Amino acid sequence: MEHDLFISHASEDKDALVRPLAEKLKSFTLDVWYDEYSLSVGDSLSASIDKGLKLSSFGVVILSPSFFAKPWPEYEFRSLVALESGRAKRIIPVWFNVERDDVLNFSPHLADKVAVITSGKKLAAIALEIMRVVHPKKISTLARALAARIQAQSNTELVDVRELQQSPLREPLSQDQLRRVRLIHESLFEVYPISWEKIAGNFQRDAQEFRERELRSWEHIAGTYSGIKRRHNLSRAESQHLFQVLLRSSLGTLEGVTQEAPAWVIEALDDFHRRLPNAKD
């Protein structure tokens, strides 16, 4: 697939929700396609969505008063539901300024589908709810992605990743996991100064199947960071740059490093990607 998702919507909703939602999803590292899916009178809803699904893993449909005001024939909505017959969920309805009765009166087919409801929610919460369906693995890497973005903007005071607080807490961490988080927190605090409650909460928001992998990623970043900083006595600015390099490398978003880069950067990347001695796996 070329895109994680596309957004199908009435053109009247672009400014109020669609553009901000698309930008928020993009900031959460999702590949979003939406400009070509601003629907106008005379467009075929099912044909547009069918085309979008050929190029995207998921389709988000914004159901709103403006969307309902368009003269969609009932067969379009039956076609919309039929697109998912016999396959995994790929269409995500988003209710924008509408309630269940509005959707039910307009199309019982759409009312039966589990939807993302925007009423009373912040934009980040809506985006995270969509992201949990579209790409749950990326939810677990979001703390690293947001921290890397903040570092790239040369923000010397790393803010906590507040947008992650919109995601619900899951099962509590074990005592062993909490001890590992404590080592990560203490090792990186000077360049990632968020509170203990927030960093532990970030890990608790990870789904169980991704939590261990994310803990290992952060442990690897913290171990490499501590070793390089100790061996090279880095300044605060250099330490922040080192953290950014390691974050981006862990995400696979670091561009090639030239030989003109500081020796400690080249050493850090070599250390980060080298297999540790005495490893059994």
Side-chain angles (χ1 to χ4, degrees):
M1 295 291 182
E2 294 185 20
H3 309 283
D4 289 322
L5 64 91
F6 72 94
I7 305 177
S8 181
H9 62 286
S11 56
E12 294 85 348
D13 297 322
K14 184 180 290 289
D15 292 337
L17 176 67
V18 179
R19 183 180 293 110
L21 178 60
E23 292 304 318
K24 181 60 66 178
L25 289 165
K26 288 178 181 177
S27 76
F28 286 171
T29 73
L30 290 182
D31 185 341
V32 182
W33 185 20
Y34 79 100
D35 282 338
E36 294 187 20
Y37 288 92
S38 179
L39 301 171
S40 302
V41 174
D43 290 342
S44 168
L45 174 65
S46 59
S48 175
I49 291 176
D50 193 33
K51 176 186 174 184
L53 286 176
K54 291 178 181 177
L55 297 172
S56 307
S57 298
F58 289 84
V60 172
V61 183
I62 308 296
L63 304 178
S64 69
S66 295
F67 189 95
F68 289 159
K70 297 182 182 297
W72 308 119
E74 174 64 15
Y75 76 83
E76 292 278 17
F77 294 99
R78 289 198 298 269
S79 298
L80 173 59
V81 176
L83 287 172
E84 287 192 306
S85 298
R87 54 178 135 174
K89 176 180 179 181
R90 295 182 65 200
I91 296 172
I92 306 170
V94 174
W95 295 6
F96 178 50
N97 292 334
V98 295
E99 298 180 353
R100 178 173 175 77
D101 286 346
D102 300 318
V103 182
L104 185 62
N105 290 336
F106 198 81
S107 172
H109 306 288
L110 289 179
D112 284 341
K113 294 180 68 62
V114 177
V116 174
I117 300 173
T118 63
S119 178
K121 296 177 183 175
K122 295 182 179 179
L123 189 64
I126 298 167
L128 285 167
E129 194 168 339
I130 293 171
M131 189 173 180
R132 274 193 292 274
V133 177
V134 173
H135 215 315
K137 183 182 291 187
K138 282 192 174 182
I139 289 281
S140 67
T141 65
L142 192 54
R144 281 188 284 146
L146 293 176
R149 191 177 72 207
I150 293 167
Q151 285 281 23
Q153 295 169 349
S154 300
N155 190 332
T156 56
E157 286 188 22
L158 264 178
V159 301
D160 57 58
V161 281
R162 293 182 179 87
E163 289 167 321
L164 281 179
Q165 311 310 313
Q166 306 291 332
S167 187
L169 293 171
R170 298 174 184 267
E171 299 85 353
L173 277 69
S174 68
Q175 283 298 309
D176 178 65
Q177 289 173 330
L178 287 170
R179 292 187 186 100
R180 293 163 67 188
V181 174
R182 181 181 179 183
L183 283 173
I184 294 167
H185 186 232
E186 295 294 342
S187 299
L188 298 175
F189 188 78
E190 63 182 341
V191 288
Y192 193 47
I194 69 173
S195 70
W196 164 253
E197 291 76 16
K198 287 188 172 66
I199 192 170
N202 287 345
F203 283 105
Q204 192 176 343
R205 287 175 169 84
D206 290 335
Q208 284 286 4
E209 61 265 34
F210 304 125
R211 186 177 291 177
E212 178 62 25
R213 186 200 63 187
E214 196 61 16
L215 275 166
R216 289 180 180 178
S217 294
W218 279 100
E219 285 174 326
H220 194 27
I221 291 169
T224 305
Y225 172 85
S226 298
I228 296 298
K229 181 174 172 59
R230 174 180 56 81
R231 291 195 292 270
H232 291 272
N233 192 27
L234 302 182
S235 68
R236 179 176 176 82
E238 290 171 333
S239 297
Q240 289 169 338
H241 181 55
L242 171 62
F243 182 48
Q244 179 191 0
V245 165
L246 294 175
L247 280 170
R248 292 171 61 194
S249 185
S250 74
L251 292 163
T253 59
L254 183 68
E255 297 176 358
V257 175
T258 67
Q259 292 300 315
E260 288 73 31
W264 51 266
V265 169
I266 297 172
E267 181 182 338
L269 290 174
D270 180 61
D271 189 349
F272 190 72
H273 294 290
R274 185 192 305 127
R275 181 180 174 86
L276 292 175
N278 302 322
K280 294 181 180 180
D281 54 0

